[in-house]
Amino acid sequence: MKNFFLLTLFGCFLTASCKSAEATGHLIEVPAASQLIEKNQALRILDVRTAEEYKEGHLEGAVLVPVQEKAFVEEVKKSIKPDEPVLVYCRSGGRSAKAVAALQGQGFTNVTNVTGGI
C-alpha cells in the first residue's frame, strides 16, 4: 500500500503545478520525499487535506489535520512536537505551503513541504 501511494505521489507530481513558491522552510520533491520517508523513522507525516480527501487515500502513518481548521496549529501540536521533523503534504502543494508557514510561525523548527503535492 505504501508503494502505491509513493507511486501516486510521483505520478501526480509530474502533472501537478508547483504552488510552493509562497512556502517558507524546506522544500522537497516527491522522489526525494519518498527516500526521506524510507530513511527517517522519526519523520512525522502531516496530511493537511480535507477528511474526505484523506479517506480516498493517504500516506501510511500520516496524521490528518486539515489546514482549514480554525485551530490548525493547536491541533497539530496534539500529535506532533515542534522539534520533530515533519513532512507536510496536500493535493497540489498550496495548502501545505500555507501549513508550513503557519507551523513555522508557531515555533516548528524542522518542517518540509512536498512540492506539487500528491
Side-chain angles (χ1 to χ4, degrees):
M1 181 69 114
K2 186 176 183 179
N3 288 336
F4 169 77
F5 287 111
L6 292 176
L7 287 173
T8 301
L9 275 171
F10 181 72
C12 291
F13 172 74
L14 293 175
T15 60
S17 63
C18 179
K19 298 181 182 179
S20 63
E22 64 200 65
T24 58
H26 301 101
L27 301 174
I28 194 168
E29 294 179 353
V30 173
S34 297
Q35 291 176 351
L36 185 62
I37 290 168
E38 292 290 327
K39 291 180 183 178
N40 190 346
Q41 297 299 316
L43 181 68
R44 303 300 306 271
I45 304 170
L46 179 61
D47 187 324
V48 296
R49 301 174 301 154
T50 66
E52 292 78 25
E53 289 172 304
Y54 185 84
K55 288 177 189 174
E56 291 174 3
H58 58 273
L59 294 177
E60 185 178 328
V63 174
L64 172 67
V65 182
V67 72
Q68 298 90 345
E69 283 191 18
K70 194 172 190 176
F72 168 72
V73 175
E74 290 75 21
E75 288 299 315
V76 172
K77 285 182 178 180
K78 289 180 181 178
S79 56
I80 301 174
K81 296 175 185 169
D83 62 340
E84 290 182 293
V86 183
L87 183 68
V88 183
Y89 74 93
C90 67
R91 186 184 65 214
S92 64
R95 288 176 285 180
S96 59
K98 185 183 292 185
V100 166
L103 292 170
Q104 288 184 323
Q106 294 296 311
F108 280 75
T109 58
N110 192 0
V111 185
T112 303
N113 181 24
V114 178
T115 60
I118 65 167

